[in-house]
Short mmCIF file of all heavy atoms in Angstrom, two decimals:
data_model
loop_
_atom_site.label_atom_id
_atom_site.label_comp_id
_atom_site.label_asym_id
_atom_site.label_seq_id
_atom_site.Cartn_x
_atom_site.Cartn_y
_atom_site.Cartn_z
N GLY A 180 154.41 120.00 304.27
CA GLY A 180 155.30 119.29 303.35
C GLY A 180 154.90 119.45 301.86
O GLY A 180 153.85 119.93 301.65
N ALA A 181 155.86 118.99 301.05
CA ALA A 181 155.74 119.02 299.64
C ALA A 181 155.73 117.61 299.03
O ALA A 181 156.66 116.72 299.50
CB ALA A 181 156.85 119.75 299.03
N ALA A 182 154.77 117.24 298.38
CA ALA A 182 154.49 115.78 297.82
C ALA A 182 155.74 115.53 296.74
O ALA A 182 155.97 116.46 295.96
CB ALA A 182 153.29 115.68 297.13
N ILE A 183 156.24 114.44 296.88
CA ILE A 183 157.36 114.05 295.91
C ILE A 183 156.83 113.36 294.81
O ILE A 183 155.90 112.31 294.99
CB ILE A 183 158.37 113.21 296.76
CG1 ILE A 183 159.03 113.96 297.90
CG2 ILE A 183 159.51 112.76 295.64
CD1 ILE A 183 160.00 113.22 298.74
N PRO A 184 156.96 113.57 293.58
CA PRO A 184 156.41 112.99 292.40
C PRO A 184 156.78 111.42 292.41
O PRO A 184 157.84 111.04 292.86
CB PRO A 184 157.05 113.70 291.15
CG PRO A 184 157.55 115.07 291.64
CD PRO A 184 157.89 114.82 293.19
N LEU A 185 155.80 110.66 291.91
CA LEU A 185 155.98 109.32 291.89
C LEU A 185 157.19 108.85 291.04
O LEU A 185 157.65 107.71 291.16
CB LEU A 185 154.75 108.58 291.49
CG LEU A 185 153.58 108.69 292.46
CD1 LEU A 185 152.25 108.10 291.76
CD2 LEU A 185 153.80 108.03 293.76
N ASP A 186 157.49 109.57 289.99
CA ASP A 186 158.57 109.18 289.22
C ASP A 186 159.96 109.40 289.88
O ASP A 186 161.04 109.07 289.35
CB ASP A 186 158.55 109.85 287.85
CG ASP A 186 158.55 111.52 287.94
OD1 ASP A 186 158.60 111.98 289.00
OD2 ASP A 186 158.62 112.13 286.77
N GLN A 187 159.88 110.12 290.96
CA GLN A 187 161.07 110.26 291.81
C GLN A 187 161.22 109.33 292.98
O GLN A 187 162.32 108.76 293.28
CB GLN A 187 161.22 111.69 292.44
CG GLN A 187 161.55 112.87 291.42
CD GLN A 187 161.74 114.16 292.17
OE1 GLN A 187 162.06 114.23 293.37
NE2 GLN A 187 161.76 115.30 291.33
N MET A 188 160.01 109.14 293.57
CA MET A 188 160.04 108.14 294.75
C MET A 188 158.69 107.35 294.75
O MET A 188 157.67 107.76 295.06
CB MET A 188 160.12 108.95 296.03
CG MET A 188 161.42 109.42 296.36
SD MET A 188 161.68 110.24 298.07
CE MET A 188 161.72 108.75 299.12
N LEU A 189 158.86 106.07 294.17
CA LEU A 189 157.71 105.14 294.21
C LEU A 189 157.46 104.84 295.72
O LEU A 189 158.39 104.67 296.35
CB LEU A 189 158.09 104.07 293.49
CG LEU A 189 156.87 103.13 292.88
CD1 LEU A 189 155.95 103.96 291.84
CD2 LEU A 189 157.43 101.92 292.09
N PRO A 190 156.28 104.76 296.13
CA PRO A 190 155.77 104.54 297.48
C PRO A 190 156.24 103.04 297.92
O PRO A 190 156.49 102.17 297.21
CB PRO A 190 154.42 104.82 297.67
CG PRO A 190 153.81 104.41 296.32
CD PRO A 190 154.90 104.72 295.37
N ALA A 191 155.98 102.91 299.36
CA ALA A 191 156.24 101.50 299.86
C ALA A 191 155.01 100.79 299.42
O ALA A 191 153.81 101.31 299.22
CB ALA A 191 156.20 101.62 301.40
N PRO A 192 155.15 99.39 299.36
CA PRO A 192 153.96 98.59 299.00
C PRO A 192 152.89 98.77 300.04
O PRO A 192 153.10 98.84 301.33
CB PRO A 192 154.53 97.18 299.21
CG PRO A 192 155.90 97.36 298.71
CD PRO A 192 156.31 98.60 299.25
N ALA A 193 151.60 98.91 299.65
CA ALA A 193 150.44 99.06 300.52
C ALA A 193 150.37 100.61 301.15
O ALA A 193 149.51 100.77 301.97
CB ALA A 193 150.37 98.05 301.63
N GLN A 194 151.30 101.46 300.81
CA GLN A 194 151.20 102.83 301.46
C GLN A 194 149.91 103.49 301.10
O GLN A 194 149.46 103.33 299.98
CB GLN A 194 152.36 103.65 300.85
CG GLN A 194 152.45 104.97 301.59
CD GLN A 194 153.84 105.58 301.52
OE1 GLN A 194 154.84 104.85 301.91
NE2 GLN A 194 153.98 106.79 301.11
N GLY A 195 149.27 104.20 302.16
CA GLY A 195 147.94 104.84 301.94
C GLY A 195 146.70 103.98 302.19
O GLY A 195 145.71 104.45 301.99
N ALA A 196 146.99 102.60 302.43
CA ALA A 196 145.92 101.76 302.56
C ALA A 196 145.68 101.32 303.99
O ALA A 196 146.59 101.01 304.63
CB ALA A 196 146.02 100.49 301.75
N VAL A 197 144.34 101.41 304.49
CA VAL A 197 143.87 101.07 305.77
C VAL A 197 143.26 99.68 305.67
O VAL A 197 142.19 99.56 304.83
CB VAL A 197 143.03 102.05 306.40
CG1 VAL A 197 142.50 101.50 307.76
CG2 VAL A 197 143.75 103.30 306.61
N GLY A 198 143.70 98.65 306.39
CA GLY A 198 143.13 97.36 306.34
C GLY A 198 142.54 96.91 307.62
O GLY A 198 142.77 97.48 308.73
N VAL A 199 141.45 96.12 307.57
CA VAL A 199 140.75 95.64 308.76
C VAL A 199 140.84 94.08 308.75
O VAL A 199 140.39 93.38 307.87
CB VAL A 199 139.32 96.02 308.71
CG1 VAL A 199 138.72 95.70 310.19
CG2 VAL A 199 139.10 97.59 308.44
N GLU A 200 141.47 93.45 309.79
CA GLU A 200 141.57 92.14 309.99
C GLU A 200 140.65 91.53 310.91
O GLU A 200 140.36 92.25 311.93
CB GLU A 200 143.13 91.69 310.32
CG GLU A 200 144.07 92.03 309.31
CD GLU A 200 145.40 91.31 309.59
OE1 GLU A 200 145.82 91.30 310.69
OE2 GLU A 200 146.09 90.93 308.63
N THR A 201 140.16 90.36 310.60
CA THR A 201 139.30 89.68 311.59
C THR A 201 139.77 88.20 311.66
O THR A 201 140.68 87.90 310.89
CB THR A 201 137.87 89.58 311.09
OG1 THR A 201 137.76 88.91 309.79
CG2 THR A 201 137.26 91.11 310.87
N ARG A 202 139.15 87.44 312.47
CA ARG A 202 139.41 85.98 312.47
C ARG A 202 138.87 85.51 311.07
O ARG A 202 137.87 86.06 310.51
CB ARG A 202 138.65 85.25 313.55
CG ARG A 202 139.41 85.61 315.02
CD ARG A 202 138.56 84.95 316.09
NE ARG A 202 137.21 85.59 316.33
CZ ARG A 202 137.08 86.68 316.91
NH1 ARG A 202 138.13 87.35 317.52
NH2 ARG A 202 135.83 87.17 317.26
N ALA A 203 139.56 84.48 310.57
CA ALA A 203 139.32 84.17 309.13
C ALA A 203 137.80 83.73 308.75
O ALA A 203 137.43 83.89 307.73
CB ALA A 203 140.30 83.03 308.78
N GLU A 204 137.16 83.23 309.87
CA GLU A 204 135.80 82.88 309.73
C GLU A 204 134.91 83.37 310.72
O GLU A 204 135.40 83.59 311.90
CB GLU A 204 135.65 81.21 309.57
CG GLU A 204 136.43 80.59 308.43
CD GLU A 204 136.32 79.06 308.49
OE1 GLU A 204 135.72 78.61 309.48
OE2 GLU A 204 136.88 78.47 307.65
N GLY A 205 133.67 83.60 310.31
CA GLY A 205 132.78 84.02 311.34
C GLY A 205 131.94 85.23 311.02
O GLY A 205 132.18 85.88 310.01
N ALA A 206 131.07 85.66 311.91
CA ALA A 206 130.12 86.75 311.56
C ALA A 206 130.86 88.09 311.42
O ALA A 206 130.58 88.99 310.66
CB ALA A 206 129.12 86.86 312.67
N ALA A 207 132.00 88.22 312.27
CA ALA A 207 132.71 89.54 312.24
C ALA A 207 133.37 89.69 310.79
O ALA A 207 133.23 90.83 310.27
CB ALA A 207 133.78 89.58 313.30
N HIS A 208 133.91 88.61 310.31
CA HIS A 208 134.60 88.63 308.95
C HIS A 208 133.51 89.11 307.87
O HIS A 208 133.76 89.97 307.08
CB HIS A 208 135.06 87.39 308.61
CG HIS A 208 135.73 87.39 307.29
ND1 HIS A 208 135.08 87.12 306.04
CD2 HIS A 208 137.09 87.49 306.87
CE1 HIS A 208 135.94 87.15 305.07
NE2 HIS A 208 137.08 87.40 305.40
N ASP A 209 132.39 88.55 307.94
CA ASP A 209 131.28 88.83 306.95
C ASP A 209 130.83 90.27 307.15
O ASP A 209 130.68 90.92 306.10
CB ASP A 209 130.14 87.82 307.06
CG ASP A 209 130.60 86.36 306.75
OD1 ASP A 209 131.60 86.18 306.18
OD2 ASP A 209 129.91 85.59 307.16
N ALA A 210 130.73 90.76 308.37
CA ALA A 210 130.24 92.07 308.58
C ALA A 210 131.25 93.08 308.07
O ALA A 210 130.88 94.05 307.49
CB ALA A 210 129.84 92.31 310.00
N VAL A 211 132.52 92.85 308.30
CA VAL A 211 133.47 93.94 307.95
C VAL A 211 133.69 93.78 306.47
O VAL A 211 133.96 94.93 305.82
CB VAL A 211 134.81 93.44 308.64
CG1 VAL A 211 136.06 94.20 308.16
CG2 VAL A 211 134.63 93.75 310.21
N ALA A 212 133.59 92.64 305.88
CA ALA A 212 133.74 92.72 304.35
C ALA A 212 132.67 93.56 303.63
O ALA A 212 133.10 93.95 302.46
CB ALA A 212 133.42 91.22 303.90
N ALA A 213 131.68 93.89 304.31
CA ALA A 213 130.70 94.79 303.61
C ALA A 213 131.39 96.29 303.31
O ALA A 213 130.72 96.92 302.52
CB ALA A 213 129.47 94.90 304.51
N ILE A 214 132.36 96.58 304.10
CA ILE A 214 132.95 97.82 303.75
C ILE A 214 134.21 97.88 302.91
O ILE A 214 134.88 98.97 302.78
CB ILE A 214 133.22 98.64 305.16
CG1 ILE A 214 134.36 97.87 305.89
CG2 ILE A 214 131.97 98.73 306.05
CD1 ILE A 214 134.85 98.73 307.05
N ASP A 215 134.41 96.70 302.31
CA ASP A 215 135.64 96.61 301.53
C ASP A 215 135.63 97.36 300.18
O ASP A 215 134.68 97.35 299.38
CB ASP A 215 135.80 95.06 301.18
CG ASP A 215 137.18 94.87 300.43
OD1 ASP A 215 138.24 95.31 300.87
OD2 ASP A 215 137.09 94.12 299.42
N ASP A 216 136.71 98.06 299.93
CA ASP A 216 136.93 98.69 298.63
C ASP A 216 137.72 97.85 297.68
O ASP A 216 138.96 97.58 297.91
CB ASP A 216 137.65 100.08 298.75
CG ASP A 216 137.69 100.77 297.39
OD1 ASP A 216 136.80 101.42 297.03
OD2 ASP A 216 138.89 100.81 296.91
N ALA A 217 137.09 97.05 296.74
CA ALA A 217 137.62 96.14 296.03
C ALA A 217 138.79 96.60 295.25
O ALA A 217 139.74 95.79 295.18
CB ALA A 217 136.48 95.45 295.16
N ALA A 218 138.79 97.68 294.68
CA ALA A 218 139.94 98.15 293.87
C ALA A 218 141.17 98.33 294.66
O ALA A 218 142.33 97.93 294.25
CB ALA A 218 139.50 99.43 293.15
N THR A 219 141.03 98.96 295.83
CA THR A 219 142.21 99.09 296.78
C THR A 219 142.69 97.78 297.16
O THR A 219 143.91 97.49 297.28
CB THR A 219 141.76 99.87 298.09
OG1 THR A 219 141.56 101.25 297.54
CG2 THR A 219 142.93 99.94 299.03
#
Side-chain angles (χ1 to χ4, degrees):
I183 300 177
L185 292 175
D186 60 359
Q187 287 188 19
M188 290 185 71
L189 203 63
Q194 186 156 308
V197 174
V199 190
E200 290 191 325
T201 65
R202 292 177 290 280
E204 297 179 354
H208 179 277
D209 296 342
V211 170
I214 66 170
D215 185 47
D216 184 80
T219 296

